[in-house]
Amino acid sequence: MSGAAPHLVVRSISKRYGPTTVLDHIDLTIRRGELVTLLGPSGCGKTTLLRAIAGLAQPDSGKVELAGRDITHVPPHKRNVGVVFQSYALFPHLTVAGNVAFGLKVRGTARREINAAVERALSLVKLGHLAGRRISALSGGQQQRVALARAIAVEPDVLLFDEALSALDRKLREEMQVELRRLLQDVKATAIFVTHDQDEALTMSDRVAVMNKGRIEQLAEPRELYLRPASLFALNFVGLSTRISGTVLAADNGKVDVETKVGRLSALGNFQAGSPVIVAARPEQLRLGEQSEANSAAGRVRSVVFQGSRTLVEVDAGAGESLLAELSERDGAIPRVHDEIRLSWPVTETFAFPMEAQA
Amino acid sequence: MMIRAAIVVCWVMAIGLALFLIVPLLVIAAASFSPTPVFDLPLTGASTRWYGRIGRLDGFWPSLLLSLQIALLSTAISLVSGTLAAIAIARGKLPGAGIFATALVSPLMMPGLVLGIALLQGFRAVGFTMPGATLLVAHLVITLPYVARTMIAGLARFDFTLIEAARTLGCTYPGSVLRVMVPALAPSFLIAGIFSFLASFDNYPVSIFLADVRTKTLPIRMLQYIEEAPDPTLAALSTLILTGTVILLFVSDRVVGLHRMAGTSD
């Protein structure tokens, strides 16, 4: 965390719709130029939080500050935010250039400045040659770029993306993720993405906020989020994992020994003896064979899924527990279905989470 | 072989029905240029004298004016109120929205005669007997379904996020409605307006029950002419109305596309 001044500050925002709490005292601070993703399943409150920042949803309590100004009660048209909507929300009666110019026209900007800004924004998204086109004559990917150009053209204090890439097909989406991140970094934009797509979150963001039931479960850099998930929910939502339930036998200084149905395992975590826990590890930590000072479990291979650069092997460890290992051809032969194998993984990459927190 | 035969039958049907619909219109256009008072085929020359007589028909100008007034007024009122009602229905948050939609469109399915009698009785029952006003209110019943039907369909395709997009770009809420929603719905407004105007302008079965001596709409007047003196003047008038309609449709086709008006494609 650098010492840059906070640019967008969300202070203890809450929002209820009838009996449902959509946002539960959310705090979030974003620095200038930072790209942050709100990641979570549908109904976790991520879109409502975005709308509260845009001014399209009024929070019941809490405050929003943008660029040093309290905007909690400022209507959307005076907030100077740029929003890219999931449906793109392009104006069908205007051309590409007309859409991009809209925000500046409304602001009463001089025509010469508008033309220059439109040209700049369109060339940024590589659509300069389509300025005169009708919106209906564009492909989905092109519409997405127009929506981005329209939001950027007004030079907003923060750009908000509401599932903005989810309507694109997979290949185009993956290309756009990389391109969009580079573009936003080039123009030094501060941006918040809302998505339920973990790959998008990991690819595009400086930090990811994993949301669940109106709360932020973890706010961390993508790498830390994956390697050190703060909760079972974060672990489950980002990436794959092996999860085994058990009971803590002994606890010692941030480490616990856990009795499970596949044997005794050690994990990182602070619990009292007797606590029910889930022990978890990422699949790439699991290796064939024994290792010293490591957890290990044996079982029969249930399925082998080849995914190009990696192969996922699922092992039935008995008693309803299973292990998930990501193996590479480089580390030896990939086992076959029905093979009896033993897998081991380092204790320092094994985490224990409280059982009752399971989502 | 069977498939070929089926295709031929369908083609014959399509062409035959199109002729069936259009030929009478051509006949009346031909009749309007008849040199003799009694129309007879084949024509022996052409004359435009019947067109000159239209303006001299007894009570023609007041009836035309009345019909235009009623059609324009009822269309304008229907467009505003029908659109507002359609928004409530299309946004889907109104409980029983489907029932309201059906109710708004239902006069379309009712025989005009029944509607006319019902309105006459209804107005009498509540003591509403102002001649011009009853006609206007009755025509609202005729035009509203056209507007409601078109605007509900148009709004179902309208993405309300557009308004939010405009607001985040710096528009006030009313400004967003005016700058984004109204132009985006312009094709629907045009279609609804034209259908509504035409439905009111040529309505006979409802108007006949509510018209008195001073409030005879053009269709009522025309039927009266044909009973009194069936000469080609009426054919000339019909041809003029037809031409006006064709021009109206042609212009709207240029603007929004006729296929959308006919509902035969999106």
Side-chain angles (χ1 to χ4, degrees), chain B residues 11-261:
Chain B
W11 272 97
V12 168
M13 273 299 160
I15 295 164
L17 286 176
L19 286 175
F20 175 67
L21 292 175
I22 287 169
V23 165
L25 301 179
L26 297 177
V27 169
I28 199 141
S32 71
F33 294 105
S34 166
T36 54
V38 178
F39 176 59
D40 213 1
L41 280 172
L43 286 173
T44 54
S47 160
T48 54
R49 62 178 164 134
W50 307 113
Y51 285 86
R53 285 201 181 186
I54 294 172
R56 276 174 280 151
L57 284 169
D58 174 40
F60 168 76
W61 291 111
S63 286
L64 176 67
L65 208 64
L66 177 71
S67 274
L68 285 175
Q69 275 175 344
I70 297 274
L72 285 173
L73 259 176
S74 62
T75 296
I77 297 171
S78 290
L79 274 178
V80 175
S81 56
T83 302
L84 294 177
I87 290 174
I89 289 162
R91 293 239 59 182
K93 283 172 187 161
L94 189 69
I99 297 167
F100 285 109
T102 311
L104 275 179
V105 180
S106 65
L108 275 180
M109 298 167 249
M110 209 104 65
L113 220 57
V114 175
L115 211 56
I117 295 172
L119 285 170
L120 179 67
Q121 299 274 353
F123 289 162
R124 279 207 185 137
V126 297
F128 177 49
T129 52
M130 244 167 80
T134 50
L135 205 56
L136 179 63
V137 173
H139 276 238
L140 282 179
V141 177
I142 298 161
T143 55
L144 250 178
Y146 288 97
V147 172
R149 188 177 62 171
T150 311
M151 294 317 295
I152 289 170
L155 281 160
R157 281 195 301 264
F158 179 75
D159 178 6
F160 281 87
T161 318
L162 258 55
I163 292 178
E164 295 188 337
R167 292 177 72 196
T168 59
L169 285 167
C171 261
T172 59
Y173 182 74
S176 307
V177 171
L178 282 179
R179 295 184 80 136
V180 171
M181 192 171 180
V182 170
L185 287 174
S188 299
F189 283 127
L190 187 66
I191 294 165
I194 287 174
F195 274 110
S196 158
F197 178 85
L198 292 177
S200 163
F201 188 73
D202 83 349
N203 181 274
Y204 179 82
V206 174
S207 304
I208 187 69
F209 289 100
L210 299 160
D212 67 4
V213 190
R214 277 160 302 153
T215 57
K216 278 193 178 159
T217 60
L218 194 59
I220 296 174
R221 194 67 80 179
M222 283 171 76
L223 213 76
Q224 182 192 321
Y225 295 151
I226 210 163
E227 281 167 3
E228 289 166 358
D231 68 19
T233 312
L234 213 57
L237 176 55
S238 303
T239 308
L240 279 184
I241 294 174
L242 187 63
T243 311
T245 309
V246 168
I247 291 171
L248 196 62
L249 292 178
F250 184 77
V251 171
S252 352
D253 180 38
R254 294 285 97 184
V255 182
V256 296
L258 205 58
H259 52 90
R260 274 188 68 177
M261 301 181 60

Side-chain angles (χ1 to χ4, degrees), chain A residues 23 70 93 113 117 120 123 127 151 162 226 236-237 253-255 271 291 297 335 340 358:
Chain A
L23 296 177
D70 182 350
H93 60 290
E113 277 177 56
R120 207 162 48 235
S123 73
L127 282 184
D162 186 8
Y226 183 80
N236 281 345
F237 204 80
N253 205 14
K255 247 172 88 175
F271 294 95
Q291 295 173 52
E340 294 282 349
Q358 190 161 20

Side-chain angles (χ1 to χ4, degrees), chain A residues 306-328:
Chain A
F306 176 69
Q307 291 189 328
S309 58
R310 63 184 189 179
T311 301
L312 284 175
V313 178
E314 197 194 358
V315 175
D316 181 358
E321 301 289 0
S322 61
L323 311 170
L324 187 66
E326 182 186 315
L327 302 176
S328 164

Side-chain angles (χ1 to χ4, degrees), chain A residues 281-294:
Chain A
R282 294 296 188 188
E284 66 276 12
Q285 301 295 342
L286 276 65
R287 291 274 174 277
L288 276 171
E290 291 271 11
Q291 295 173 52
S292 60
E293 300 288 307

Side-chain angles (χ1 to χ4, degrees), chain A residues 96-324:
Chain A
V96 168
N99 267 274
V100 179
F102 188 91
L104 296 165
K105 272 194 183 146
V106 172
R107 283 164 165 76
T109 312
R111 179 179 288 268
R112 281 221 344 247
E113 277 177 56
I114 293 180
N115 290 344
V118 169
E119 204 172 305
R120 207 162 48 235
L122 281 178
S123 73
L124 210 54
V125 298
K126 300 182 191 123
L127 282 184
H129 57 296
L130 297 180
R133 285 276 181 92
R134 290 192 68 84
I135 295 304
S136 55
L138 302 182
S139 71
Q142 290 168 336
Q143 293 190 8
Q144 212 277 327
R145 286 159 190 264
V146 177
L148 175 63
R150 182 177 69 179
I152 286 180
V154 298
E155 295 179 8
D157 287 323
V158 63
L159 272 166
L160 308 171
F161 295 81
D162 186 8
E163 303 269 6
L165 299 180
S166 63
L168 302 177
D169 63 53
R170 189 190 159 126
K171 193 164 159 42
L172 192 57
R173 189 168 66 232
E174 287 173 356
E175 284 169 14
M176 271 308 283
Q177 286 168 10
V178 177
E179 191 186 324
L180 185 56
R181 175 168 172 84
R182 196 163 47 214
L183 191 155
L184 293 173
Q185 284 173 332
D186 284 349
V187 300
K188 298 189 169 56
T190 309
I192 302 178
F193 310 100
V194 154
T195 185
H196 59 267
D197 180 343
Q198 47 158 312
D199 294 329
E200 198 172 307
L202 298 181
T203 308
M204 310 239 300
S205 342
D206 299 323
R207 284 190 298 161
V208 179
V210 176
M211 289 187 67
N212 183 31
K213 294 176 183 164
R215 294 178 155 276
I216 293 178
E217 295 240 343
Q218 186 173 10
L219 175 61
E221 290 171 24
R223 193 179 157 75
E224 189 191 340
L225 178 67
Y226 183 80
L227 295 176
R228 294 283 179 269
S231 70
L232 195 58
F233 181 84
L235 170 96
N236 281 345
F237 204 80
V238 179
L240 300 167
S241 57
T242 285
R243 296 180 298 276
I244 298 161
S245 57
T247 309
V248 174
L249 283 178
D252 170 39
N253 205 14
K255 247 172 88 175
V256 287
D257 285 326
V258 182
E259 182 67 46
T260 74
K261 287 173 183 161
V262 302
R264 187 175 292 195
L265 301 175
S266 298
L268 304 180
N270 284 305
F271 294 95
Q272 292 190 329
S275 313
V277 293
I278 302 270
V279 176
R282 294 296 188 188
E284 66 276 12
Q285 301 295 342
L286 276 65
R287 291 274 174 277
L288 276 171
E290 291 271 11
Q291 295 173 52
S292 60
E293 300 288 307
N295 289 317
S296 90
R300 183 191 289 266
V301 175
R302 186 186 291 150
S303 70
V304 176
V305 179
F306 176 69
Q307 291 189 328
S309 58
R310 63 184 189 179
T311 301
L312 284 175
V313 178
E314 197 194 358
V315 175
D316 181 358
E321 301 289 0
S322 61
L323 311 170
L324 187 66

